[in-house]
Amino acid sequence: MQFRIAAYGEVRDENGRVLLTRRKRAGREAGPWHLPGGVVDHGEPPKRAAGRLLAEHTGYEVVVGRPLEAVAVARRGVHTNAIVYAADVKGGPAEGVVLEHSAGETAEWVEPSRAAAEPHSPFVSAALGLADDRLAGRVDKAPQETRPVPPAKAKKGRRRRGQRFGAYGVVADVDGRILLARIAEGYPGGGTWHLPGGGVDFGESPKAAVAREIYEETGQEALVGGLLNVTSFRHRRAIGPEGYPLDWHGVRAIYSATVPDPSAAVVVEAAGGSTSESRWWDAEALDDLPLSAAVEDALQVVDLKNLAAQA
């Protein structure tokens, strides 16, 4: 199994047309429509990658805005977690330009109805709000595939690279309490209180991953809402599970979530996992808690002290 992270841009003009790309080869039918974008480089923030890839694939200068959706596609042994960003054009070439660096690729403004009727990628389906079975994630309470584990040892003097896409929830109940999970000692950030969540498994959508992780770490049945934010970090001198050096790149998709029928939080996942305990907290208590970077990320986009009004 192979995992990768990608970033795409949803660009629309004043008439509602979408900026899409496709390949045209002599003597063959045109390929499917694609959202402009592609694979994120190691250590590259997805938002920056979206801007770079939009320019490379369309020739347009763009301003990348907020993340619209996180989607996943698994096929042929490759699982791609992708962030679709809103973007606006600042300037660029004429419509339908054939890019010199990518022979046969054109960038065109396309009516949504036309894109929907013609062959297109699953990420175009996401942008157009169309159902696509390739985007449907499992909702199982436990992973069905073994998660990738780096080798126990790296070659001497070589720092391996690791990349992980995780999905996390800002989870509230009707009283405005927030649900947090404590990271077990021995794991990065051990002892700090963290947003429930974790890595997306093979064949799983980010939203399904959030629901599963919330249950595993807290025992709560949560309703996952919209995407709040996407953040990323790079730790060049991380230490892997077996003590080997690792150049680590992580991307976090942070969702809103609610628990309509809350109960006492309890860790459900197997003993020895990364969560030592979980608990509901009143907003006033957060100032005195050691919080993880993911919680600090959430503070940038949601008012944790006013969750009751948002739940």
Side-chain angles (χ1 to χ4, degrees), residues 3 70-74 79-81 134-145 147 165 167 198-213 216:
F3 288 80
V71 295
V73 174
H79 177 109
T80 302
N81 291 296
R134 292 168 292 178
L135 301 172
R138 301 192 314 271
V139 292
D140 305 312
K141 290 298 188 296
Q144 298 299 305
E145 299 281 354
R147 297 177 186 177
F165 185 93
V200 177
D201 288 340
F202 191 93
E204 183 178 46
S205 73
K207 271 194 172 184
V210 174
R212 173 183 55 76
E213 290 279 355
E216 289 179 357

Side-chain angles (χ1 to χ4, degrees), residues 177-227:
R177 297 181 302 170
I178 185 171
L179 183 62
L180 298 178
R182 195 169 198 176
I183 300 174
E185 296 295 342
Y187 287 84
T192 60
W193 289 92
H194 195 47
L195 295 178
V200 177
D201 288 340
F202 191 93
E204 183 178 46
S205 73
K207 271 194 172 184
V210 174
R212 173 183 55 76
E213 290 279 355
I214 291 171
Y215 180 79
E216 289 179 357
E217 296 181 355
T218 71
Q220 307 299 298
E221 299 277 359
L223 301 176
V224 180
L227 184 64

Side-chain angles (χ1 to χ4, degrees), residues 171-175 220-224 257-263 280 311:
V171 188
D173 67 3
V174 293
D175 295 321
Q220 307 299 298
E221 299 277 359
L223 301 176
V224 180
T258 57
V259 176
D261 187 20
S263 59
W280 289 101

Side-chain angles (χ1 to χ4, degrees), residues 8-12 47 50-51 54 62-69 83-89:
Y8 295 87
E10 181 180 331
V11 187
R12 294 179 183 259
K47 186 174 182 177
L54 273 163
V62 300
V63 175
V64 180
R66 65 184 180 88
L68 298 173
E69 192 171 0
I83 307 299
V84 179
Y85 288 90
D88 293 310
V89 167

Side-chain angles (χ1 to χ4, degrees), residues 1-118:
M1 296 183 298
Q2 179 184 353
F3 288 80
R4 62 184 183 182
I5 301 173
Y8 295 87
E10 181 180 331
V11 187
R12 294 179 183 259
D13 67 8
E14 63 276 9
N15 297 315
R17 296 181 302 172
V18 186
L19 182 61
L20 301 176
T21 66
R22 67 176 177 179
R23 290 185 178 275
K24 293 182 178 179
R25 296 187 176 97
R28 298 174 59 182
E29 291 186 3
W33 293 110
H34 290 275
L35 275 187
V39 176
V40 173
D41 289 340
H42 185 82
E44 184 179 30
K47 186 174 182 177
R48 183 185 303 167
R52 172 180 62 81
L53 291 161
L54 273 163
E56 290 177 3
H57 287 275
T58 71
Y60 284 96
E61 182 182 358
V62 300
V63 175
V64 180
R66 65 184 180 88
L68 298 173
E69 192 171 0
V71 295
V73 174
R75 56 186 176 186
R76 298 176 183 172
V78 179
H79 177 109
T80 302
N81 291 296
I83 307 299
V84 179
Y85 288 90
D88 293 310
V89 167
K90 290 178 60 179
E95 298 177 14
V97 64
V98 177
L99 305 179
E100 293 182 2
H101 78 281
S102 183
E105 185 175 30
T106 62
E108 301 178 36
W109 293 99
V110 184
E111 292 288 348
S113 58
R114 177 188 172 194
E118 297 178 359

